[in-house]
Amino acid sequence: KAAEKGLTEAIKCLLEAGANPNVPNTFGRLPIELAAEYGTREDVEILFPFTSPISTVANWSVDGIISHVKMEIKQLEDDNFVKERVSDLKRQADEAFKKQDYLNASVLYTQALKMDNFDAKLLSNRSLCWLRMGDGQRAFDDATKCKRLRPKWAKAHYRQGSALMFMKYAAAYSALSRALELDPESEET
């Protein structure tokens, strides 16, 4: 807590009393990392000689620790930004889809997929957009990618079967049967 609150004198007292600065908090962060984030350089310098090297810190020095913590914070901020942006794009795409504006919905799903290309739901939704716009091949391609990401998801098989049916391929039966097998209660299958 002293490191997190930037309480320099308390850090000194705790170290003099024999406190162990190598004990992580409940989130796995050591006092020196908390000092680098919330305290001052002086706090990091005080804790440095008493702290065992952290394997994820490439440059084990006061500056190296401070840089490492700043990099972690930046990555978290970037991850949160990406998640929020993907969520916002998905919401906009869903609204466009409800208005039967499949072209704009597909564009928005594509933008979201550029930020998170492992989101099976986005692929499934874009596959349905392609299908509604009459592009069976693109619908099939997205459904196939979706199925690779989530092989036991009935909707992925349903989307693939729907695309195959649209293109008049006999393999549609197999894909739709698998969807029904995975989710017999589904209204889509």
Side-chain angles (χ1 to χ4, degrees):
K1 286 289 182 196
E4 189 175 345
K5 301 288 183 193
L7 304 173
T8 306
E9 294 306 313
I11 293 169
K12 290 178 185 176
C13 287
L14 286 165
L15 288 172
E16 286 174 22
N20 182 357
N22 295 299
V23 177
N25 67 5
T26 55
F27 301 105
R29 305 211 43 223
L30 293 175
I32 198 164
E33 293 173 288
L34 296 169
E37 183 173 355
Y38 302 108
T40 63
R41 179 182 180 84
E42 181 185 2
D43 296 342
V44 177
E45 289 171 346
I46 292 166
L47 288 162
F48 184 76
F50 301 95
T51 304
S52 299
I54 303 168
S55 63
T56 56
V57 178
N59 174 10
W60 187 248
S61 65
V62 170
D63 288 328
I65 293 163
I66 292 169
S67 294
H68 175 77
V69 169
K70 285 182 179 177
M71 182 82 77
E72 281 185 334
I73 292 166
K74 182 74 174 133
Q75 284 177 321
L76 285 172
E77 288 171 354
D78 289 348
D79 286 349
N80 286 336
F81 171 79
V82 168
K83 286 178 186 172
E84 287 175 19
R85 182 72 178 131
V86 168
S87 177
D88 186 46
L89 287 166
K90 184 183 179 311
R91 182 188 51 73
Q92 290 177 45
D94 291 346
E95 288 173 9
F97 186 89
K98 285 177 189 168
K99 295 175 185 171
Q100 298 181 356
D101 184 358
Y102 305 122
L103 180 60
N104 278 328
S106 70
V107 168
L108 291 161
Y109 288 131
T110 299
Q111 288 175 356
L113 281 161
K114 284 180 182 175
M115 300 180 92
D116 183 2
N117 59 351
F118 296 106
D119 189 323
K121 288 182 180 179
L122 292 172
L123 283 165
S124 171
N125 291 351
R126 189 173 70 176
S127 174
L128 185 56
C129 288
W130 296 133
L131 197 59
R132 297 275 169 92
M133 290 188 291
D135 192 335
Q137 187 59 54
R138 281 182 160 174
F140 175 77
D141 292 345
D142 277 355
T144 301
K145 289 175 195 168
C146 180
K147 195 172 92 172
R148 270 191 231 120
L149 290 172
R150 292 187 57 189
K152 294 186 179 182
W153 189 33
K155 189 174 274 189
H157 292 270
Y158 176 74
R159 292 280 187 254
Q160 190 178 47
S162 297
L164 288 167
M165 198 165 68
F166 179 82
M167 295 187 298
K168 301 186 185 334
Y169 285 111
Y173 175 79
S174 175
L176 293 171
S177 294
R178 180 68 176 138
L180 187 58
E181 180 183 307
L182 288 168
D183 188 2
E185 302 296 318
S186 173
E187 292 179 19
E188 291 181 325
T189 53

